[in-house]
Amino acid sequence: MEITEAVDAAQALVRERFPGAVAAFLGGSLARGEGTDTSDLDVVVIRPAPAEVYRETLVWRGRPAEVFAHTPESVRTMFAWDRANGVPTMASLCADSLVLRSVGGAAEQVAGWAQDTLRAGPRPLGADALALRRYTVTDLRDDLLDCRDADERLAVAALLHVAAGELLLAAAGAWSGKGKWLARRLRAAAPDLGGRLLADYRALAAGGPAEPLGATVTAVLDLVGGPLLAGDHRTAGPSLLAGPAD
């Protein structure tokens, strides 16, 4: 789908389903001209409060579409969650996008908030969160080096390269990502060590040894104080002790 076709489809969706929207954006790969036959329409719509805030996946003109329906207040809250989680999901959708509708400059205002969020970057990890990540990566690294079963080694390596990649980006004060975006963020923000992490994981997945990936992960851990196992202590909170909700 070409950009013009994607914009036409997204504008029709907004017209028919969100006539009261004051702002709307088309984000994602189709907006960047990188879409494939299976790429979905990522559409953000902003409606005046009070309005339902939700995310919905639907089929629109034969193509999957993800709709993120917000108010100006709720989208700013999502930008705050982006910073807290370290993954700029909503901020990127609104900052790196095509404007489909703007009433009274509403889209430009939201895009400005999103751009401010991206420039601010993720919140630094607190001491407890950093310790937990160090412990998780250390434990997975040791499990990987201990594995003798090929299937188990692949399963552990998949978890480890994600956890170590997220830790490396946090150490660099850079935005992280999920799925394909983790690889993109690593190549952009940490091309040397991040590139090694990706290459060593790729080599292991192709049948190579685990030791190179283990060594690269150790280098990541050294950036944040080194491996951590002994001394890890986490107190069970009230919500855990209360048990799962019915």
Side-chain angles (χ1 to χ4, degrees), residues 10-225:
Q11 285 179 329
L13 188 156
V14 173
R15 279 196 308 271
E16 294 186 26
R17 297 196 48 153
F18 304 96
V22 296
F25 305 89
L26 173 65
S29 58
L30 288 172
R32 297 190 300 272
E34 301 171 353
T36 67
D37 291 340
T38 59
S39 296
D40 54 10
L41 291 163
D42 292 312
V43 178
V44 180
V45 294
I46 309 295
R47 299 178 293 173
E52 182 185 6
V53 175
Y54 65 91
R55 173 178 178 170
E56 180 183 3
T57 301
L58 55 106
V59 176
W60 182 259
R61 295 188 175 182
R63 180 177 289 269
E66 281 195 280
V67 176
F68 304 83
H70 282 281
T71 66
E73 296 79 9
S74 72
V75 80
R76 294 197 79 173
T77 299
M78 292 303 101
F79 296 158
W81 274 114
D82 282 354
R83 292 202 68 210
N85 296 329
V87 180
T89 303
M90 188 56 60
S92 292
L93 279 175
C94 294
D96 304 327
S97 61
L98 300 175
V99 174
L100 302 172
R101 178 182 296 177
S102 183
V103 177
E108 290 74 18
Q109 183 180 48
V110 171
W113 296 336
Q115 291 157 5
D116 288 344
T117 300
L118 293 179
R119 283 191 291 268
R123 290 183 184 174
L125 290 179
D128 290 344
L130 178 59
L132 177 57
R133 293 201 187 192
R134 287 172 59 200
Y135 174 87
T136 299
V137 171
T138 303
D139 190 46
L140 286 169
R141 181 204 62 176
D142 292 353
D143 278 351
L144 175 71
L145 297 176
D146 287 341
C147 278
R148 296 297 175 262
D149 180 271
D151 293 328
E152 293 176 4
R153 185 163 55 248
L154 281 175
V156 174
L159 294 174
L160 176 58
H161 107 278
V162 170
E166 291 175 343
L167 180 59
L168 175 56
L169 289 168
W175 288 108
S176 189
K178 302 297 182 183
K180 62 188 178 186
W181 277 102
L182 178 62
R184 293 177 182 181
R185 302 286 184 196
L186 284 169
R187 287 194 291 261
D192 295 331
L193 194 51
R196 280 172 50 194
L197 187 67
L198 293 170
D200 291 341
Y201 172 65
R202 191 165 58 246
L204 184 149
E211 285 75 15
L213 179 58
T216 298
V217 168
T218 299
V220 172
L221 287 165
D222 287 342
L223 295 175
V224 292

